[in-house]
Amino acid sequence: MTVIIDGKQVAASVLDAVKEAAAKLESETGKKTGLAVVIVGDDPASHSYVGAKSRMAKECGFNSIQHTLTPDTTQDELADLVLRLNDDPDIHGILVQLPLPSHLSPDPVIQSIRPEKDVDGLNVTNAGKVSIGDTKTGLVSCTPAGAMIFVRSAHGDDLSGLNALVIGRSNLFGKPMAQLLLNANATVTIAHSTTKDLPALCRTADILVVAVGQPEMVKAGWVKPGATVIDVGINRVETLERSGKSRLVGDVAFKECVEVADIITPVPGGVGPMTIAMLMANTVTAAIRANGYPHFAF
């Protein structure tokens, strides 16, 4: 019988560990874990995401500070704020909510965050550490880190002998996900928009991870019987039953693929809840390292 991963339940267990670690750090050192979230402009979706992150940080016992900047904020003003947060010893994690307004360039801002405070795991130093297998001193991008917890729960820490296919090559998810799988000894292939005969390639994968932003692209006939399928896509599509209403679906046609896979994540309720949980995990990890404590791992 196919196992449908309950992302909310797994995320809750991660958050329990985060709360315990944050409380222990504060009781033993007097230091409260600090997270600064920076948002520029008034995009409703971004404000919703930031609100959820700030609430979760407070629930975890963090000192959560939100900096809301006006839409006309300049590149220099944003850079100055990041530099001040870099120098603030009470702030252990810095998150700049993307996307930024079109007149701002995100990469210089992201790269200016000190690697040890880069809880999104997007700084080139952290990306480089992941590429050489160093997760003991680096911070891993949150969504692939969460997806990897699912993979490890299904297959253990050593993926030797397993073929893994990642569909998607973004810097945010596809590349770090592939590297994490490779670090765990899987044989890894990355597919993308110009890959030939993608369905045939999918059918070779013991672990199939999909992050392309195309609603229900992966069909049952693409999935190797018994595979583990991790669906990272979040797409809003109009419902056929009620005009003007929409629903969330993944990049995998769940209803048909659940009949073929051994393990699969749903959308919603799969990878999504893990992203914020791993952001909290990165933040408390950064706080513990900043105070000279051993690495905090899940």
Side-chain angles (χ1 to χ4, degrees), residues 4-280:
I4 300 173
I5 294 176
D6 186 340
K8 292 181 180 179
Q9 185 178 57
V10 179
S13 68
V14 171
L15 290 168
D16 284 344
V18 168
K19 293 171 187 176
E20 182 180 347
K24 184 176 181 181
L25 177 68
E26 187 172 1
S27 67
E28 294 187 4
T29 69
K31 297 290 186 178
K32 201 175 186 72
T33 300
L35 174 65
V37 182
V38 179
I39 183 168
V40 184
D42 47 19
D43 178 70
S46 291
H47 276 272
S48 177
Y49 295 144
V50 164
K53 293 168 184 176
S54 296
R55 286 191 297 274
M56 184 57 68
K58 290 176 181 176
E59 186 178 320
C60 288
F62 298 176
N63 177 30
S64 178
I65 300 172
Q66 180 174 322
H67 294 269
T68 303
L69 306 182
T70 61
D72 59 353
T73 297
T74 67
Q75 192 83 36
D76 286 344
E77 287 170 337
L78 180 55
D80 286 344
L81 173 58
V82 170
L83 288 176
R84 291 200 303 273
L85 295 173
N86 276 335
D87 291 337
D88 187 341
D90 294 326
I91 295 299
H92 306 105
I94 301 170
L95 168 68
V96 177
Q97 182 65 37
L98 302 177
L100 294 173
S102 59
H103 70 283
L104 297 176
S105 178
D107 196 57
V109 176
I110 298 302
Q111 301 311 323
S112 70
I113 298 173
R114 286 183 184 168
E116 62 270 24
K117 294 189 177 188
D118 168 39
V119 289
D120 255 345
L122 299 180
N123 186 284
V124 292
T125 298
N126 284 321
K129 287 185 176 183
V130 170
S131 73
I132 63 171
D134 177 10
T135 57
K136 299 297 184 184
T137 65
L139 294 168
V140 182
S141 182
C142 301
T143 305
M148 200 64 194
I149 287 181
F150 292 159
V151 172
R152 287 198 178 101
S153 69
H155 299 282
D157 292 335
D158 188 355
L159 306 181
S160 297
L162 296 177
N163 291 324
L165 173 65
V166 179
I167 309 179
R169 55 179 169 178
S170 68
N171 292 332
L172 183 63
F173 182 84
K175 291 176 183 176
M177 185 72 215
Q179 194 61 60
L180 291 173
L181 290 163
L182 186 62
N183 292 345
N185 297 323
T187 300
V188 183
T189 303
I190 302 178
H192 44 78
S193 58
T194 63
T195 298
K196 293 183 178 179
D197 200 358
L198 182 56
L201 190 59
C202 287
R203 287 190 288 270
T204 69
D206 302 298
I207 301 168
L208 178 60
V209 186
V210 190
V212 291
Q214 296 189 29
E216 300 183 322
M217 180 187 77
V218 174
K219 308 299 183 184
W222 297 30
V223 177
K224 179 180 180 179
T228 294
V229 179
I230 308 295
D231 187 355
V232 186
I234 300 178
N235 310 284
R236 191 169 292 279
V237 298
E238 188 173 333
T239 60
L240 296 177
E241 298 83 7
R242 300 175 65 185
S243 178
K245 299 294 182 179
S246 62
R247 60 189 177 93
L248 290 178
V249 300
D251 293 344
V252 174
F254 179 83
K255 288 184 179 179
E256 56 184 85
C257 291
V258 73
E259 303 295 330
V260 183
D262 265 7
I263 301 170
I264 192 168
T265 61
V267 175
V271 174
M274 292 297 290
T275 299
I276 291 182
M278 297 314 296
L279 173 66
M280 299 300 116

